[in-house]
Amino acid sequence: MLYLGYHLSSANGFEAMGKEALLAGANTFAFFTRNPRGGKAKDIDPDDAKALISLILNAGAAGALPFAPLVAHAPYTLNPCSDKANVREFAHMCMADDLQRMEYLPGNYYNFHPGSHVGQGIERGIEMITNLLNDIITPEQNTIVLLETMSGKGSEVGGRFEELAQIIDGVQCKDKIGVCMDTCHVHDAGYDIIGDLDGVLEEFDRVVGLGRLRALHINDSKNPFGSHKDRHACIGEGSIGLDAIGRFINHPKLAGLPCILETPNEFEGYKREIEMLRAYSV
Ligand code: FE
Ligand code: FE
Ligand code: ZN
């Protein structure tokens, strides 16, 4: 069973996203918890959240594919290791507020880009990210927070598995923290998922632990291997290619994980990519 979905717009609320996902043949999806580049979040409508939960449950019961957990995405502007106090404060406020709102959709994931240390050094960056997580994550929450694997562009933290492992090491509520692996990012970071996927997954297992891996972002890359760039391409139109992506999503060690497309597409394009990936056999 493949769990495939894509990044939906939350402009029309939760239930509308669920309906669109079903129309696209998706059985998971992602959404921004608020404007990806801005600040203020809309108030949650608890009835809308309930409507989405029952839509997902009934979809499974009605014979549609059962859903994997949803993978919410924090705004790109969230940077816990900025050198500016107001940016760090925003990160704090934003994640705390988002996680409170995620409680209306219990049992799902909240993914974020660990941050950019902007010249303060990787160790200091990791320390600030860990502090944020320890300030905000509570043992009672029903959301698992995911660190996204990054391409290592600029001063990004999370381009190496070791950096993610170090953050996780410092987090107190270990059962509330996990990782989301992005194919474009790891490829751009220099992990050879085309030629040596088994080796990359063994390395991830050794450094972080495959048990921590909760979700996958499925993107082709506009840039060559190891470029540290992070520009997503449609599936089969980039330097990773359909075969490597098909092998990735079908790898037995990744079975059951939600696979989220973040490719440059609209509805029709995502629907096509989902069909193409469901039809792909290794
Ligand atoms: Fe992301
Ligand atoms: Fe991603
Ligand atoms: Zn990206």
Side-chain angles (χ1 to χ4, degrees):
M1 160 75 74
L2 282 177
Y3 296 97
L4 282 162
Y6 62 103
H7 206 114
L8 283 151
S9 160
S10 55
N12 298 315
F14 292 128
E15 191 184 20
M17 287 194 284
K19 285 181 173 163
E20 186 185 322
L22 288 173
L23 284 176
N27 51 353
T28 178
F29 63 86
F31 60 94
F32 282 116
T33 49
R34 61 184 72 216
N35 183 327
R37 313 217 167 261
K40 187 94 175 71
K42 276 198 302 192
D43 282 341
I44 294 262
D45 172 356
D47 291 333
D48 184 33
K50 280 189 202 132
L52 172 62
I53 293 168
S54 71
L55 183 86
I56 286 173
L57 291 174
N58 292 332
L65 299 166
F67 269 61
L70 310 180
V71 191
H73 200 303
Y76 295 136
T77 46
L78 189 152
N79 185 10
C81 52
S82 169
D83 56 348
K84 296 190 179 67
N86 64 322
V87 176
R88 293 195 303 271
E89 279 155 25
F90 171 77
H92 202 282
M93 179 284 292
C94 177
M95 188 179 286
D97 184 51
D98 282 352
L99 286 179
Q100 267 177 24
R101 287 138 37 83
M102 287 296 290
E103 289 298 301
Y104 288 96
L105 296 170
N108 293 300
Y109 300 143
Y110 177 77
N111 170 70
F112 77 111
H113 296 179
S116 291
H117 64 70
V118 289
Q120 300 173 97
I122 201 88
E123 289 300 322
R124 181 76 187 113
I126 287 170
E127 188 187 329
M128 288 195 274
I129 296 162
T130 309
N131 289 344
L132 170 98
L133 292 169
N134 283 329
D135 280 350
I136 289 170
I137 293 178
T138 67
E140 294 81 27
Q141 72 182 43
N142 291 293
T143 301
I144 296 181
V145 177
L146 306 183
L147 299 154
E148 183 164 350
T149 60
M150 302 310 291
S151 68
K153 120 170 95 51
S155 65
E156 259 174 9
V157 181
R160 303 291 313 165
F161 297 158
E162 286 77 4
E163 295 163 15
L164 300 177
Q166 210 181 322
I167 297 169
I168 292 168
D169 247 8
V171 172
Q172 278 143 18
C173 295
K174 290 272 189 295
D175 56 331
K176 307 296 182 195
I177 188 86
V179 173
C180 172
M181 187 184 287
D182 185 310
T183 52
C184 169
H185 298 180
V186 290
H187 165 268
D188 286 14
Y191 290 101
D192 185 8
I193 57 170
I194 304 173
D196 187 22
L197 178 56
D198 284 334
V200 172
L201 295 180
E202 272 160 32
E203 185 172 347
F204 184 89
D205 195 29
R206 194 172 58 245
V207 176
V208 179
L210 275 169
R212 292 268 170 227
L213 190 55
R214 298 300 191 123
L216 308 170
H217 282 172
I218 306 301
N219 305 302
D220 215 323
S221 172
K222 289 201 165 140
N223 290 292
F225 176 70
S227 58
H228 302 290
K229 279 285 192 352
D230 185 4
R231 294 269 316 282
H232 303 182
C234 289
I235 305 303
E237 294 175 14
S239 53
I240 303 176
L242 174 60
D243 281 334
I245 287 171
R247 286 195 302 271
F248 186 89
I249 61 174
N250 287 290
H251 196 286
K253 285 185 175 167
L254 306 180
L257 298 177
C259 298
I260 306 292
L261 295 161
E262 301 173 302
T263 45
N265 276 307
E266 304 286 337
F267 175 79
E268 287 300 331
Y270 284 125
K271 187 166 181 278
R272 253 196 323 274
E273 285 189 345
I274 289 172
E275 276 161 18
M276 179 170 79
L277 290 174
R278 288 205 192 284
Y280 189 91
S281 57
V282 192

